[in-house]
Amino acid sequence: MTDEISGLPTRRAALRLLDTVMRMGTPMDQATANATKGLSPPDRALAIAIAQETLRWSVDLDILIDSKTKQVLPDDSKARMVLRLALAQILRLGTPAHAAIATALPLVDGGPRRLVHGVLGSLLRAEVTLPELPSLPEAVMMRWHPAWGDDMIAGAQKAYSEPPPLDLALRDPSATDAWAERLSGVSLMPGHVRLLRGTAVEELDGYEEGAWWVQDLAASLPARLLGDGTGKRVLDLCAAPGGKTMQLSAAGFAVTALDNSARRMDRLMSNLERTQLNAERVNADVMDWKPSQPFDAILLDAPCSATGTMRRHPDVLQRIDLKAINNLAAIQSAMLDRAAEWVKPGGTLVFATCSLEPHEGEAQAEAFLARHPEYTTMPATAAELPAGVTANAQGHVRTMPPMLAEQGGLDGFFVARFVRKG
């Protein structure tokens, strides 16, 4: 058996991932374990890379495919999936054409092998290339362009074209300079170090001693807006896998961390143990649980479309539609209303979503204030944010793809800080 054909299990795993994401709408993170079962770590990493690049460039890959076939191939047909997968390997991952074809044709499994072979041959003879930046799906463009404009779209395309760098949040922000030097990284604000992507996390200095954890800089901003926690109690809702819980504990808060997923709470527990930080852990649904007494602060990082994480999760732009966004926005509103009851007078409620959808950010904050006149916005200040990020006119934080692009960019996030009137 040749090396090319011996790579079939890896390509089959990549095809299973694509099918699960694009046809069934399952998040890639959830599909990976089952789809790559039995593969070695290097082969598993390759299958994921093939699937991710196929998803990232799917719009442009489809344009190429459609240019060389008169037959209409359904979006979720196996022939189209295999063609996408083969082209992504050739045009994005540098796989030799003969190897990509040899591992693609057996994937059709009794289907139109001649069609797949012919389309690939025609495209290769034409020496086709992909554009400099990936096109965004049409449905995403229809949502984002009216809301954000040309500059954001251009920034989103650039951000979407490559996986992001690796951001670390430090347990001890006073040691930022020391850790940046020790890890050969750069810091964009206290308590943060950024490294080049591709770094093996478990092999880095400080991992075993729990000196830091992986957390995108934008994702660290909601907990930062709660400041020093000495003598204060905080409730971290939807807490797992624990990045914000660890931030809050390191800031001195007495933390209650709540999440409805037992599996994710196990990860939170492991993260707390590694970093030697503490939190009371509650495995429950926000909508069913009720605290015995109010909190000084609550952080609600609510379930959302996660379109702001498109750099590391390119599948999200393929899966999420307006119906899903509206459903998630309704859940966020219900959670906000429930959390609002549990904050002490004079206390703080921070609402956050890793979304680039206005329905899950600006509109959500405006509607919350209209429903809850007992709350007011506490604007974020420049001292609380990295250089290059500022609060909007309403005092909320909106991180966007064009921000800090020269330094490696940010995930898309929305953060609003409310204070309950005394």
Side-chain angles (χ1 to χ4, degrees):
M1 182 176 286
T2 66
D3 289 340
E4 290 85 359
I5 300 300
S6 69
L8 266 177
T10 302
R11 274 67 180 185
R12 289 195 190 280
L15 183 61
R16 283 194 295 271
L17 272 174
L18 288 173
D19 182 67
T20 306
V21 170
M22 299 188 79
R23 187 172 61 84
M24 300 173 63
T26 304
M28 190 165 169
D29 281 354
Q30 295 179 21
T32 297
N34 186 56
T36 62
K37 191 174 182 179
L39 294 183
S40 67
D43 285 345
R44 179 179 181 274
L46 178 57
I48 293 170
I50 293 171
Q52 285 186 328
E53 287 305 290
T54 303
L55 290 164
R56 206 181 299 275
W57 292 86
S58 64
V59 174
D60 301 294
L61 294 172
D62 282 347
I63 291 172
L64 293 179
I65 292 166
D66 291 338
S67 73
K68 295 299 181 181
T69 177
K70 296 179 181 178
Q71 182 174 333
V72 177
L73 299 177
D75 285 348
D76 59 354
S77 67
K78 181 171 284 189
R80 185 177 289 278
M81 291 282 196
V82 171
L83 284 165
R84 289 167 174 157
L85 184 149
L87 287 171
Q89 291 175 76
I90 296 167
L91 300 177
R92 287 295 299 166
L93 297 176
T95 303
H98 69 275
I101 293 172
T103 52
L105 295 180
L107 298 179
V108 186
D109 288 339
R113 290 172 61 116
R114 182 176 296 179
L115 170 68
V116 170
H117 194 236
V119 172
L120 285 175
S122 296
L123 290 169
L124 293 172
R125 286 191 296 274
E127 299 182 349
V128 296
T129 59
L130 288 168
E132 183 179 354
L133 297 174
S135 300
L136 301 178
E138 183 179 359
V140 175
M141 290 285 289
M142 290 177 66
R143 295 197 309 268
W144 288 0
H145 194 271
W148 307 121
D150 291 340
D151 288 347
M152 184 279 193
I153 294 296
Q157 288 181 277
K158 185 174 182 180
Y160 196 47
S161 67
E162 297 286 350
L166 180 68
D167 282 347
L168 306 179
L170 303 180
R171 186 178 61 198
D172 179 8
S174 69
T176 299
D177 291 343
W179 277 110
E181 181 177 356
R182 185 171 169 181
L183 295 169
S184 300
V186 297
S187 177
L188 300 183
M189 68 184 307
H192 166 265
V193 174
R194 174 164 288 183
L195 308 177
L196 295 176
R197 65 185 174 92
T199 308
V201 173
E202 294 84 357
E203 298 176 7
L204 290 172
D205 285 348
Y207 177 81
E208 291 294 337
E209 64 193 84
W212 47 260
W213 53 92
V214 176
Q215 185 180 36
D216 188 83
L217 179 57
S220 76
L221 299 181
R224 288 175 182 269
L225 293 189
L226 288 175
D228 179 60
T230 304
K232 297 179 181 178
R233 297 173 60 250
V234 67
L235 174 62
D236 184 9
L237 293 173
C238 310
K244 296 173 183 68
T245 296
M246 290 183 283
Q247 279 184 278
L248 294 168
S249 179
F253 284 97
V255 186
T256 297
L258 182 145
D259 200 279
N260 68 349
S261 169
R263 178 181 59 84
R264 285 166 58 84
M265 284 297 278
D266 287 342
R267 287 181 60 195
L268 184 146
M269 179 63 188
S270 297
N271 285 327
L272 287 172
E273 289 177 346
R274 183 177 66 84
T275 55
Q276 302 168 53
L277 294 167
N278 299 300
E280 177 189 1
R281 297 172 302 282
V282 179
N283 185 195
D285 191 313
V286 176
M287 302 309 296
D288 297 330
W289 181 81
K290 186 176 181 179
S292 59
Q293 57 182 311
F295 290 86
D296 298 291
I298 294 180
L299 171 53
L300 172 58
D301 184 7
C304 72
S305 65
T307 50
T309 68
M310 62 179 180
R311 299 182 302 165
R312 70 193 77 243
H313 301 298
D315 61 296
V316 71
L317 297 192
Q318 309 293 334
R319 295 186 295 101
I320 296 296
D321 58 17
L322 188 57
K323 180 180 178 181
I325 292 166
N326 288 333
N327 289 340
L328 287 161
I331 293 170
Q332 294 154 18
S333 296
M335 287 186 172
L336 266 171
D337 289 345
R338 193 154 175 80
E341 301 174 0
W342 305 337
V343 179
K344 291 179 180 179
T348 307
L349 170 61
V350 169
F351 167 73
T353 55
C354 54
S355 169
L356 285 164
E357 313 297 333
H359 284 5
E360 299 180 291
E362 290 78 3
Q364 192 70 262
E366 182 180 356
F368 173 78
L369 289 172
R371 295 193 307 272
H372 293 274
E374 74 274 22
Y375 277 87
T376 186
T377 297
M378 182 179 179
T381 66
E384 296 172 306
L385 303 173
V389 178
T390 58
N392 64 18
Q394 290 73 40
H396 310 314
V397 179
R398 163 59 77 186
T399 60
M400 303 284 276
M403 290 181 177
L404 307 185
E406 295 301 317
Q407 293 90 353
L410 292 169
D411 278 357
F413 247 84
F414 177 83
V415 192
R417 179 171 57 188
F418 308 112
V419 175
R420 187 169 194 173
K421 299 171 186 177

